[in-house]
Amino acid sequence: DGGITQSPKYLFRKEGQNVTLSCEQNLNHDAMYWYRQDPGQGLRLIYYSQIVNDFQKGDIAEGYSVSREKKESFPLTVTSAQKNPTAFYLCASSRGQTILTNEKLFFGSGTQLSVL
Amino acid sequence: EDQVTQSPEALRLQEGESSSLNCSYTVSGLRGLFWYRQDPGKGPEFLFTLYSAGEEKEKERLKATLTKKESFLHITAPKPEDSATYLCAVRETSGSRLTFGEGTQLTVNP
């Protein structure tokens, strides 16, 4: 079955620690995204990538980093510089480069990150 | 700056009691308006895309409509399994990213 796989489902971060959230898709989509969701707030864009080896900052990129070395993978690292990392993180993908198309997003099942 | 506002924040209905959710938006030019359903602890699931004022789309008990300033998600005779958070998002003409509203949490009691 085609889809987006996020892992782990739950993740705990210690003070000063970097953690990496995994996102893999087998939909052959060009564009991938990372969103953060806090209770009572809309989804906020962290980073997005339209093609391999290229990515752009979203609205809340500080304290996060990404890479896009393969079309199917878009890992997100939450660094120690992110002082309030507790949130639900969602990875998404869409067909084609959305600057050129108007495609809907497909979402993974999310990773809940908490601080110990 | 694009803005998307959803109302109400939460809505409680009895099974069979029809109602509507609202999504108001402010963009320089609308390229598309998207509705998603999200169950607790899961990722959003796509429902509809609307592109121009006057457009309507239906799926089972859900019907989405669009005007130049807002979209409505009408729920006819809802069932408990329709309970979820409904998210609205817009993409403007010159942009590639989606701007999401805060969602409406719908609870349908049997």
Side-chain angles (χ1 to χ4, degrees):
Chain A
D1 287 341
I4 301 175
T5 301
Q6 289 188 242
S7 62
K9 181 67 177 174
Y10 300 97
L11 186 58
F12 297 91
R13 192 190 90 166
K14 294 181 181 178
E15 200 72 34
Q17 185 182 39
N18 293 351
V19 292
T20 297
L21 285 62
S22 172
C23 178
E24 303 278 331
Q25 55 101 356
N26 61 3
L27 300 168
N28 198 33
H29 284 173
D30 289 306
M32 296 187 74
Y33 308 79
W34 275 105
Y35 287 90
R36 170 179 171 143
Q37 188 173 35
D38 294 279
Q41 294 192 35
L43 276 65
R44 292 183 291 168
L45 184 63
I46 304 172
Y47 268 99
Y48 64 106
S49 169
Q50 299 282 335
I51 55 174
V52 175
N53 292 321
D54 188 47
F55 50 83
Q56 288 79 39
K57 293 182 179 180
D59 299 318
I60 55 165
E62 186 174 349
Y64 300 97
S65 66
V66 294
S67 63
R68 187 87 187 276
E69 297 176 0
K70 298 186 296 183
K71 187 176 185 178
E72 58 269 25
S73 179
F74 192 40
L76 173 74
T77 297
V78 184
T79 74
S80 57
Q82 172 50 244
K83 297 306 179 187
N84 184 24
T86 297
F88 190 53
Y89 290 85
L90 287 161
C91 179
S93 71
S94 63
R95 189 175 60 185
Q97 298 178 38
T98 46
I99 192 69
L100 303 174
T101 68
N102 199 14
E103 296 288 334
K104 60 181 180 273
L105 301 186
F106 293 80
F107 285 88
S109 56
T111 294
Q112 176 64 50
L113 175 61
S114 302
V115 177
L116 289 176
Chain B
E1 182 180 317
D2 298 348
Q3 288 194 328
V4 181
T5 304
Q6 292 188 245
S7 62
E9 289 184 15
L11 181 63
R12 217 172 258 280
L13 301 173
Q14 287 299 123
E15 185 171 2
E17 179 187 1
S18 301
S19 188
S20 297
L21 314 182
N22 178 264
C23 172
S24 298
Y25 62 90
T26 304
V27 294
S28 54
L30 182 68
R31 196 169 164 202
L33 185 142
F34 301 78
W35 281 100
Y36 286 85
R37 169 194 169 126
Q38 185 177 23
D39 293 302
K42 296 189 177 181
E45 179 184 328
F46 172 77
L47 293 173
F48 305 108
T49 308
L50 300 168
Y51 297 101
S52 58
E55 189 174 2
E56 299 181 351
K57 288 193 176 173
E58 288 188 67
K59 180 181 179 181
E60 295 181 358
R61 295 176 293 281
L62 300 177
K63 179 180 177 180
T65 61
L66 181 66
T67 73
K68 289 186 177 180
K69 294 184 177 181
E70 58 192 348
S71 176
F72 291 94
L73 186 65
H74 306 279
I75 303 177
T76 303
K79 298 181 178 182
E81 53 262 41
D82 295 321
S83 297
T85 295
Y86 290 85
L87 302 171
C88 169
V90 299
R91 179 179 285 135
E92 65 164 347
T93 311
S94 60
S96 59
R97 56 174 77 176
L98 289 181
T99 300
F100 282 84
E102 295 175 357
T104 293
Q105 185 175 359
L106 174 66
T107 303
V108 182
N109 296 316

